[in-house]
Amino acid sequence: MNVYLTLVLATLATTARVFALIGASIVTGWLLGYLAIKSRVFENLYTSLIGVFESVPVFSFFPVVLVLFVSGIGGYLGVELAADFLVFTAVVWNIWIGIYQAFKTVPREMLEVAENLRFGFLKKMRYLYIPYSIPRIAANLLPSFADAYFYITVSEVFSVGSSTYQVFGIGSAIAQLAASGAPLSLYLLALAILSIAVSLSVYAIREFADYAAAKYAVDTSVPIRRRRFIPPRAAGAFGGSLARIARNIATTYRQMARQRRPPPERERNYDKLLRPIGIVVGVVLLSLILYGAIEVIKSTPWRTWESLFARTPSVIPAILADYARVFIIALLSTALAVTLGYYLVTHPSIERVMVPVIQTFAAYPAPVYFPIIFAATYAALYGALGYYANEVYVIALGFISTFYYVFYSFWMGLKAVPHEVWELMENLDMPYTKKMAKILLPGTLPYLISGLSSTINSAWGGLAIGEYWPDIIRGETLQVKTGLMKLITYSTAQGDVALAAWASLLFAVIVVLFSIFFTRRMMDLAMKKYIMEEAVFAA
């Protein structure tokens, strides 16, 4: 097949995977969200699992993927499901929680109208819950798309021991070009084709977000353009006749609909059935998790456990080293957010150009172009810094892979600052540092904490790629001396899946504890104490 056609088809295949997995996340989110608001038992389990798994980085699922799909199913189908599952776990949690929050906050008046019209499950979903959730979904599409593209290009080709697995897509195509020593022009062509696909996708997502905000938001100032199917003069001339016809049709339709409607008791019984169904589903999910954990413990030989316990002391320093790198990445991302975000909000003409550019850049998967940056700079950087050049590259990869989340959250927080507060700061002639310290940083703290949480959770993906990247260009290997992500990826590449799974488990426990005792408490503090909108009511 022609190489140019192959690159185009590979890009289309990757993009199709991304949108298919986002679509699967949305459809399952609708069903599970409705079940959650109807069953308290399932709701508690559902929200708890989302909170736990949302805090766990995607690469922690890699050993599970190897066991369930690559080894369990095998063949091309197993590899395809493995790649898709990794991307699904990257995009699904924020979409699910967004849909659940939308379903949970449907206005009571709308629910009463749906009950008075005797809507069943399908009509409630079609006319109430799904439309009400669309603005939340649209707000999460761009971050989900960026996450999906980042992980799909990495997961399309991976190695376990001496075996290499790959599926058709732009990620595996670029990896093959790099491995075969293809000319740089061909590599750049692949990046150009990918950039076109990313740019068109980001444009489509932005247009859909604007459309969703205009049409489906309950309270919005965005106008909706409507078409007149009947010219005004024709409507005036035939208004009486058309009105009579419309009234007759409406009356006939209401009579037919009333005959087709099931009794109210049957409608209520449908909702009552969902409560035991939710309980059963919740118990089954919890049982499967416990059963899987018990089976893993029973099937693992005691000698393996002894070996894992003996190697645990070497895992802890690796975790600490990676948290130090994540801290640096979060610090750099926050510094960029509070400076660039403020500059763009206060310069609307530049903001209109720069925000779409930043969104497109953030959605472009860093692993496909980072080797070019490495090739252009590694000779000079290694000559100047020696080993520490590896640390610079790893932190840079983590930064460009995740800075967008805290930047976007802070930028949205500044956009939500009431204009009365901006006027007050202007009247007091406050300098930039005082605005930030006294008003803007405290007032946007909920947005900052939310963005920082996403930045920290997503930074592990960049570290997982950069800490051990064999043959990044022409036989060169990028790697650090110690790091948890290096331990997981290196152990997987060497076929030591048990150590990779053990390290992932320890890391997941630490991440969950960090989320419970730090992130949630900080968010609760921010929501209770630092609500910018209250300044308007206080005034």
Side-chain angles (χ1 to χ4, degrees):
M1 185 182 294
N2 185 281
V3 64
Y4 306 110
L5 180 60
T6 300
L7 292 176
V8 172
L9 293 177
T11 303
L12 293 176
T14 296
T15 307
R17 280 194 191 96
V18 168
F19 281 107
L21 292 168
I22 292 176
S25 302
I26 294 172
V27 173
T28 53
W30 283 333
L31 298 176
L32 295 174
Y34 189 80
L35 193 60
I37 63 174
K38 295 298 180 180
S39 172
R40 180 60 61 87
V41 174
F42 180 77
E43 180 183 19
N44 292 334
L45 180 63
Y46 181 64
T47 54
S48 299
L49 288 178
I50 289 178
V52 170
F53 287 124
E54 189 179 21
S55 303
V56 177
V58 172
F59 278 89
S60 298
F61 295 100
F62 198 68
V64 179
V65 164
L66 295 177
V67 174
L68 291 180
F69 299 109
V70 178
S71 301
I73 298 176
Y76 185 86
L77 177 61
V79 179
E80 178 69 48
L81 292 176
D84 294 344
F85 181 80
L86 284 175
V87 178
F88 186 76
T89 57
V91 305
V92 70
W93 313 119
N94 61 330
I95 290 179
W96 278 6
I97 199 65
I99 292 174
Y100 163 76
Q101 290 172 348
F103 283 11
K104 195 73 174 176
T105 56
V106 171
R108 184 176 300 176
E109 294 80 4
M110 291 184 176
L111 292 173
E112 290 177 354
V113 170
E115 292 296 333
N116 292 336
L117 293 175
R118 301 175 183 178
F119 279 180
F121 166 73
L122 293 179
K123 284 191 175 181
K124 284 182 181 178
M125 293 296 290
R126 179 181 177 183
Y127 295 112
L128 179 59
Y129 286 106
I130 288 179
Y132 194 79
S133 68
I134 286 179
R136 295 285 186 99
I137 294 171
N140 285 314
L141 276 183
L142 195 58
S144 297
F145 177 80
D147 267 350
Y149 238 113
F150 180 90
Y151 286 108
I152 196 69
T153 52
V154 176
S155 57
E156 283 178 347
V157 54
F158 56 90
S159 299
V160 181
S162 58
S163 302
T164 299
Y165 304 94
Q166 63 180 10
V167 294
F168 181 68
I170 191 62
S172 58
I174 290 177
Q176 289 177 353
L177 290 177
S180 62
L184 180 61
S185 58
L186 196 58
Y187 191 88
L188 294 176
L189 176 63
L191 297 184
I193 294 174
L194 181 59
S195 66
I196 294 174
V198 170
S199 300
L200 292 177
S201 300
V202 170
Y203 176 77
I205 291 172
R206 285 173 55 85
E207 289 295 310
F208 175 75
D210 293 341
Y211 170 78
K215 184 171 183 179
Y216 295 105
V218 175
D219 184 14
T220 178
S221 60
V222 182
I224 305 176
R225 289 177 295 180
R226 303 184 183 276
R227 296 179 181 270
R228 287 184 177 269
F229 293 97
I230 302 177
R233 292 182 181 178
F238 301 101
S241 301
L242 291 175
R244 285 193 296 273
I245 294 173
R247 282 194 296 269
N248 292 334
I249 293 176
T251 302
T252 305
Y253 175 78
R254 280 196 297 269
Q255 293 174 351
M256 295 173 61
R258 192 176 296 114
Q259 295 173 0
R260 292 196 302 265
R261 284 174 187 161
E265 291 78 10
R266 188 183 303 176
E267 293 290 343
R268 296 189 185 98
N269 289 335
Y270 291 155
D271 283 344
K272 288 181 180 179
L273 283 176
L274 291 175
R275 296 175 184 175
I277 291 175
I279 295 175
V280 171
V281 172
V283 172
V284 169
L285 286 176
L286 188 60
S287 301
L288 288 175
I289 293 173
L290 294 176
Y291 175 77
I294 293 172
E295 285 298 313
V296 169
I297 294 173
K298 288 171 56 179
S299 61
T300 303
W302 176 247
R303 290 184 178 180
T304 303
W305 285 115
E306 288 182 335
S307 174
L308 294 176
F309 289 142
R311 287 189 280 184
T312 299
S314 65
V315 177
I316 303 302
I319 294 176
L320 294 177
D322 271 359
Y323 263 107
R325 295 185 182 102
V326 169
F327 176 77
I328 295 173
I329 293 171
L331 194 64
L332 294 174
S333 301
T334 305
L336 178 68
V338 299
T339 53
L340 182 60
Y342 176 83
Y343 179 80
L344 293 180
V345 169
T346 55
H347 296 78
S349 58
I350 300 176
E351 179 188 46
R352 284 192 293 269
V353 177
M354 286 299 298
V355 170
V357 170
I358 294 173
Q359 289 175 331
T360 304
F361 175 76
Y364 200 90
V368 302
Y369 64 80
F370 195 78
I372 298 178
I373 299 176
F374 184 86
T377 59
Y378 82 99
L381 207 55
Y382 278 108
L385 301 178
Y387 162 78
Y388 293 101
N390 294 302
E391 297 287 350
V392 172
Y393 281 122
V394 169
I395 291 173
L397 180 58
F399 172 78
I400 62 179
S401 302
T402 194
F403 79 93
Y404 172 75
Y405 300 101
V406 66
F407 163 78
Y408 186 74
S409 295
F410 182 71
W411 174 70
M412 288 297 294
L414 291 180
K415 298 286 284 185
V417 171
H419 68 274
E420 293 87 352
V421 176
W422 289 103
E423 291 176 357
L424 176 64
M425 291 187 293
E426 292 299 324
N427 293 336
L428 295 176
D429 196 22
M430 299 175 67
Y432 168 77
T433 53
K434 194 171 184 179
K435 288 179 185 178
M436 283 293 172
K438 298 294 184 180
I439 296 180
L440 295 180
L441 286 180
T444 58
L445 191 59
Y447 296 89
L448 269 177
I449 294 175
S450 177
L452 272 175
S453 177
S454 298
T455 294
I456 291 172
N457 292 336
S458 301
W460 301 102
L463 296 184
I465 298 170
E467 287 186 359
Y468 180 68
W469 194 338
D471 198 27
I472 181 172
I473 57 156
R474 296 189 295 271
E476 296 289 336
T477 296
L478 174 62
Q479 63 177 325
V480 297
K481 290 181 179 179
T482 183
L484 179 69
M485 294 297 105
K486 178 192 175 182
L487 177 64
I488 294 175
T489 53
Y490 182 79
S491 300
T492 303
Q494 297 299 315
D496 193 355
V497 179
L499 179 59
W502 178 246
S504 298
L505 177 62
L506 294 177
F507 177 54
V509 171
I510 293 175
V511 167
V512 171
L513 293 176
F514 180 83
S515 174
I516 293 174
F517 292 105
F518 179 77
T519 306
R520 289 187 183 179
R521 290 189 178 184
M522 290 296 293
M523 182 60 74
D524 291 340
L525 174 65
M527 295 300 292
K528 291 177 182 178
K529 191 174 181 180
Y530 300 104
I531 304 298
M532 177 70 74
E533 288 78 5
E534 290 184 358
V536 178
F537 300 105

